Structures are given as C-alpha cells and as structure tokens.
Amino acid sequence: MSTHKLQLLVTSDIHGYIMPTAYRGMNEPLGLAQLATKIEVLRSNYPTILIDNGDLIQGSPLTYFKQAYRPLESNPIIKATNELKYDAAIFGNHEFNYGRENLERIIEQSDYPWLSCNIRNDDGNAWVKPYEIFIVDGVRIGVIGVTTHFITIWEDPAHLTGLQIDDALASVSYWLEVMKEQEKVHVSVISYHGGFSHSLETGELEESDSGENQGYQMLQQLDFDILITGHQHREISSKAYGKSIVQPGSRAVKVGQIMIDITLENDEVIFIHHEPTLISLDEHDQLHPKVVASVSTLHEETEQWLDEPIATVHGNMLYENAMDVRIHKHPYVQFLQELQMDVTGTTISCTSLFHDQPGGFKPIVTMRDIVTNYIYPNTLKVLAVTGEQLMLALEQCASYFTLENDQIAVNPSFLYPKAQPYNYDMWEGIYYTMDISKPIGSRIVQATINELPIKPMKTFHVVMNNYRATGAGNFPYFASCPVISDLQIDMTEVIATYLREHPVIHAHVEQNWDIIK
C-alpha cells in the first residue's frame, strides 16, 4: 500500500497577457510573468502537473502586434510556457483566430502536447491526441482535452479548413470510457475549454441552454474525478457530484490548484480525496526573469507601437462610466457606428461597448486607444435582415436593463454567471424608444426607419460584428440571414486605417434612441 499527495495546477484564458499590464499605461496585478513565480513556488511543494486550459495565444495588444507585424517569428507566449515546463495545453476557441496554419506552428513550437478529443481531421482521424497519461509519483493521471464546439459558429470557416469539430459532451463521454478501459488510470481529469449553463449549487439554468457550455452536464452524466473549466472567465473552485472543479478567471490573475490525496494497493485506488482552490497573485510575487526575457523584446516593440499618434479628436470622446454610455448615447459610439456604415456602405448599424471600464478616445488617438477600447478580434458582416428580425433584436437589447428603486440598472441575467456587456447593442439608422417599465419583449414603444414604421417583411441591410452575425448573444435569427458582404479585416485594423484616412475627427452625437422608465 502506498499513499501519495500531488497537485494539478491550472491556468486558463490568459489571452496573451504576460507582462503585468493591460496596456492602459500602468502596471496591474495580472499576467503570466508574475503568476509564473507563484506557480514555481507551488510546484516546489508537491509532485505537479501544470495545464493550460485554452485561449492562451490571442487577446492582448501584444498578441495583436505579434500577429500583424511578426507573424513568422517564434511565438513569445509559447516561449514563456515552455520556460515554465507546462505539461499540456487545451485549445480554446480563440486559438483559431489567426488560422490553422498559425496554430500548426504553435503546436510545433510547444514542448508539451496540445490535447483535443473533439477536433478531428476531415477524414475522421485524430488531429492531435485526445488525452495524455501522466505518471506522477507512481499515480496514473489521465487528462482529456475538449473544447466548446461553438467554435464552428464563431470562427471564420477558412480558419478551420480540414478540421471537423464534434459535440464536446458526446466526444468526452466516448473518450473517457476509452481512456479508463485502456489506460487503467487512477485519476481521471477532463480539461474543458467551456463552462457552465447551470448553477453548480442548485442545478437551475442560468444562461441559454444552447450547448455552448456543457460543464454541468459533464458533471451530472459522466464518471470522473476532476473538471477543469474556462471560457467564461469566471473564478470557480467548487465541488459538485463528487467532482472537484476549478475555473481560474482570465489574464493570469489566479492559478487553479487541485490537491489530490490518494492511496493505492496492488495498483488499485482504495482511497482518493481531492480539494480545489484558487490562488491569487499578491504584491510579493516578483516577475519571473526567464518568462520576462522570453517576451521582453516584443513587449517593448508593442509599447512603442501603441503610442504612435494616428489622429486628433476635436471635442470630447472620452467617458468614465460605461453604463452612462449605454443609457445616453456617446460620441465614441457615434464614431463606431458611422465608421461601420462608411466602410460597408450601409445605413443601419449596431455595435456594443465591450467592457465596463472607462474608455473612448483621447485628444491624440494612438493604437493604445484603439486596442484597449475594441478588445475583440471582430470583423464586420452585412446581413439582409427583415423588419421582424430587427424588432426582435431591439427587444433583446432592451432586455439588458431593469429597474432597481426606480433607477435603470443592468438585468442580472447579463451579469451572472458572467458579465456580458458585449451583448447589449446600440443601433444607428433606426429611431427607437425603450420603455424599461414595460415587460421584457414589449419595451420598444417606437421604432422607425426614414420616418416610417418598420414593416415586418421588408428587408434591410445591416452591418454588425461577425460574433453577432452568428446569432451569438441570444440573437439566433441573425444566423439565418443572408450575408450581403463580409469584410474579413480585424476591426482594430479597420479603425486604424479609417483614422489614418481621416486624421481629424469631430466628437458629436445624433440622438436616435431614448430610454425611458
């Protein structure tokens, strides 16, 4: 009989944040360079497996600069994870944003395996390993990798050429049985780049049961020990159905830890206990010198690039309170709408504020202003949308709000289980009024286009980002709309190009919508 104490350490949704900055011109408590020090201290205590659960290589200004200006150079994010001797990585949906060819280079540069049980070559054969077996202090730990299959909804099909992406739950169910039968593992781990549609405490549905986040169903239906999750950027250390669960937020602010105590006799498990927790960065964590060295040159180049002046603003295009912008139209939103309509030749547009931080453009606009405001790698699509679908979309947007003590507030369904500021759209080219005192679904009390009521069967050309065009965010009818045009250029590049062509912009607002209560 032998007893063993070991740990799993988990990162997820790092999104290319290595140095302790969100590139807003200040240092912040985030980034893998600082978390790496914490990881190495933890790793020194017990035998360890270190796993990244996806969305590693995309999402920061550094990764944007790398892809735009240094696409063929070795990826510094992979250099950093190689320095830390990661044991495995799982594909996040954003791993595919730069295309399969780029991702194949990433896999080749990595000193660790990338795992996926539900992404296959078109011929049905495995693209990468579905799982990996790690022998840690004599304990056989099986780790299965799986990614939300909603990649196919969000991603440019050209980026998935030659790949077939299967249902996450069905795939992991199959491979879990294969692994347990053939590998005789002592500990079974599912590392899922996805999250939860149901409450872990009550089992109640908390978001659309679309199949995007199947973590709860995995807990409920499958027999395994530990579930690593991500994608939703939540901070979770919990237990349900006898399984330990972690989800360590985003941008490397925390590391997930699952401690495992296990007793073996004749290679059989006679006792196992596992306990999840999240460990945060603190002020005493120093930057890891090797991780810093792996990214320092690109980081310095990125910082210089971010501060290059592009355009000048006449008037005020800054805001402090994002909620105010969503209730009272702001010049920054006006700018985005006019830009989207200008580059696509349309007269109806919708856009969001993607985060809840202060934002907008300073008097001298730089790339830093662009990438810290427009934080997603969106492109633009023009859809043929019926009047009926427009009205459904306006009502969906109106559901973002609620009344609390007679004050307009955010509907909790847009805050939990994760904040979704990007799923509230503001519209241009439509004159409309929302009455938040009315029930959801009947809040649009007035809506016209060119001073005429919106006819349900009439078709309108509308520009929106590619995420919304897939129907994501509870706009399912957009997924069936004919695509009139598809501008496959990253929006940050579109904005930068537009500003270089219009180096002086004027802050103004044309009021076309109101919110009443």
Side-chain angles (χ1 to χ4, degrees):
M1 186 169 65
S2 59
T3 60
H4 309 264
K5 192 177 188 71
L6 50 129
Q7 66 183 339
L8 295 180
L9 297 179
V10 178
T11 57
S12 190
D13 298 274
I14 290 175
H15 283 290
Y17 283 90
I18 305 299
M19 300 300 285
T21 176
Y23 294 94
R24 291 190 285 254
M26 66 188 82
N27 283 351
E28 300 179 57
L30 57 84
L32 187 60
Q34 195 168 9
L35 193 67
T37 304
K38 181 78 74 180
I39 288 170
E40 289 213 333
V41 170
L42 293 169
R43 184 188 256 156
S44 69
N45 295 328
Y46 303 99
T48 301
I49 297 175
L50 176 60
I51 296 172
D52 185 78
N53 191 54
D55 281 1
L56 173 65
I57 64 168
Q58 179 281 334
S60 70
L62 181 141
T63 59
Y64 176 89
F65 178 82
K66 159 71 177 70
Q67 188 61 26
Y69 299 100
R70 306 285 187 271
L72 299 180
E73 291 183 4
S74 295
N75 192 290
I77 315 301
I78 302 305
K79 287 182 182 178
T81 51
N82 285 343
E83 287 287 355
L84 287 173
K85 295 180 170 52
Y86 270 74
D87 293 293
I90 313 305
F91 298 104
N93 51 294
H94 286 291
E95 254 68 69
F96 294 86
N97 286 166
Y98 300 138
R100 181 176 176 179
E101 183 178 345
N102 177 78
L103 191 47
E104 295 282 5
R105 289 196 298 270
I106 291 293
I107 295 170
E108 185 177 344
Q109 292 167 22
S110 302
D111 292 342
Y112 46 83
W114 288 76
L115 306 178
S116 176
C117 74
N118 69 318
I119 305 176
R120 298 182 289 155
N121 290 315
D122 273 348
D123 61 9
N125 292 321
W127 178 40
V128 296
K129 288 183 177 182
Y131 62 81
E132 186 69 82
I133 306 300
F134 300 96
I135 302 177
V136 183
D137 192 33
V139 179
R140 292 175 62 80
I141 302 175
V143 179
I144 300 175
V146 62
T147 306
T148 175
H149 51 267
F150 268 48
I151 299 171
T152 56
I153 295 176
W154 304 316
E155 194 55 71
D156 180 350
H159 293 173
L160 303 175
T161 300
L163 296 177
Q164 175 179 318
I165 301 177
D166 302 323
D167 181 89
L169 178 61
S171 298
V172 82
S173 176
Y174 171 81
W175 283 105
L176 180 62
E177 292 307 309
V178 170
M179 183 181 75
K180 289 167 68 176
E181 180 179 337
Q182 295 185 2
E183 307 292 349
K184 307 301 181 185
V185 297
H186 302 126
V187 183
S188 50
V189 179
I190 295 173
S191 190
Y192 172 43
H193 190 82
F196 303 99
S197 56
H198 293 68
S199 166
L200 292 173
E201 289 75 29
T202 66
E204 294 180 358
L205 188 67
E206 292 183 318
E207 63 174 49
S208 171
D209 195 13
S210 62
E212 176 186 348
N213 294 296
Q214 297 175 306
Y216 188 81
Q217 292 84 341
M218 293 177 187
L219 294 169
Q220 189 179 49
Q221 300 175 27
L222 306 180
D223 181 20
F224 62 100
D225 297 302
I226 293 166
L227 180 62
I228 296 167
T229 64
H231 183 55
Q232 293 175 309
H233 298 188
R234 296 168 67 185
E235 296 180 359
I236 299 172
S237 60
S238 185
K239 286 192 170 185
Y241 295 96
K243 288 108 172 167
S244 288
I245 307 151
V246 292
Q247 187 173 148
S250 65
R251 301 201 293 187
V253 297
K254 295 180 185 291
V255 59
Q257 179 193 56
I258 305 99
M259 295 301 305
I260 303 170
D261 291 284
I262 187 167
T263 302
L264 305 178
E265 185 170 11
N266 298 323
D267 204 37
E268 297 292 331
V269 178
I270 62 172
F271 172 80
I272 184 170
H273 176 76
H274 33 81
E275 195 65 36
T277 190
L278 296 180
I279 299 172
S280 303
L281 288 174
D282 63 48
E283 59 187 19
H284 304 297
D285 293 318
Q286 302 297 311
L287 296 179
H288 190 290
K290 290 185 177 179
V291 173
V292 170
S294 70
V295 74
S296 59
T297 299
L298 190 72
H299 172 70
E300 291 170 7
E301 291 179 334
T302 301
E303 288 282 12
Q304 292 172 10
W305 167 73
L306 286 171
D307 287 328
E308 295 176 2
I310 297 175
T312 301
V313 176
H314 287 187
N316 181 26
M317 206 175 279
L318 290 169
Y319 62 86
E320 288 295 321
N321 189 310
M323 187 64 171
D324 284 345
V325 176
R326 296 186 180 104
I327 297 174
H328 308 288
K329 192 175 180 184
H330 188 273
Y332 174 71
V333 175
Q334 185 78 49
F335 167 78
L336 288 180
Q337 304 279 33
E338 291 181 355
L339 178 147
Q340 291 188 169
M341 293 187 295
D342 182 83
V343 299
T344 59
T346 53
T347 57
I348 301 175
S349 169
C350 66
T351 193
S352 306
L353 283 184
F354 297 119
H355 56 69
D356 290 320
Q357 305 301 315
F361 288 163
K362 298 173 185 174
I364 303 298
V365 185
T366 66
M367 278 302 302
R368 192 182 303 277
D369 299 309
I370 296 172
V371 300
T372 55
N373 278 280
Y374 207 105
I375 60 175
Y376 293 116
N378 291 336
T379 59
L380 295 178
K381 287 191 176 185
V382 177
L383 303 186
V385 181
T386 66
E388 180 182 16
Q389 292 165 332
L390 278 181
M391 293 302 296
L392 288 171
L394 290 172
E395 288 288 359
Q396 172 60 27
C397 296
S399 73
Y400 183 78
F401 299 106
T402 190
L403 289 177
E404 294 181 358
N405 299 320
D406 200 38
Q407 298 299 311
I408 298 173
V410 180
N411 184 332
S413 67
F414 286 81
L415 296 174
Y416 308 103
K418 67 173 181 178
Q420 303 172 54
Y422 46 82
N423 281 333
Y424 168 65
D425 289 333
M426 293 158 280
W427 290 75
E428 192 74 19
I430 306 174
Y431 285 77
Y432 60 101
T433 302
M434 305 180 199
D435 186 344
I436 306 306
S437 67
K438 293 186 177 297
I440 287 175
S442 58
R443 291 178 165 182
I444 303 301
V445 295
Q446 175 266 337
T448 61
I449 296 174
N450 295 327
E451 299 183 354
L452 297 173
I454 300 173
K455 295 181 179 180
M457 301 308 295
K458 187 173 180 178
T459 298
F460 303 89
H461 289 183
V462 180
V463 57
M464 63 186 69
N465 68 57
N466 62 310
Y467 174 80
R468 185 68 74 241
T470 66
N474 293 315
F475 298 80
Y477 29 84
F478 287 155
S480 62
C481 292
V483 178
I484 304 303
S485 63
D486 186 353
L487 186 65
Q488 293 189 9
I489 304 172
D490 189 289
M491 264 298 283
T492 52
E493 183 178 345
V494 171
I495 295 170
T497 300
Y498 181 89
L499 288 174
R500 289 188 178 101
E501 294 173 353
H502 304 81
V504 178
I505 55 176
H506 297 268
H508 68 285
V509 167
E510 295 181 15
Q511 195 64 47
N512 65 297
W513 50 264
D514 289 299
I515 301 176
I516 61 176
K517 57 186 176 69

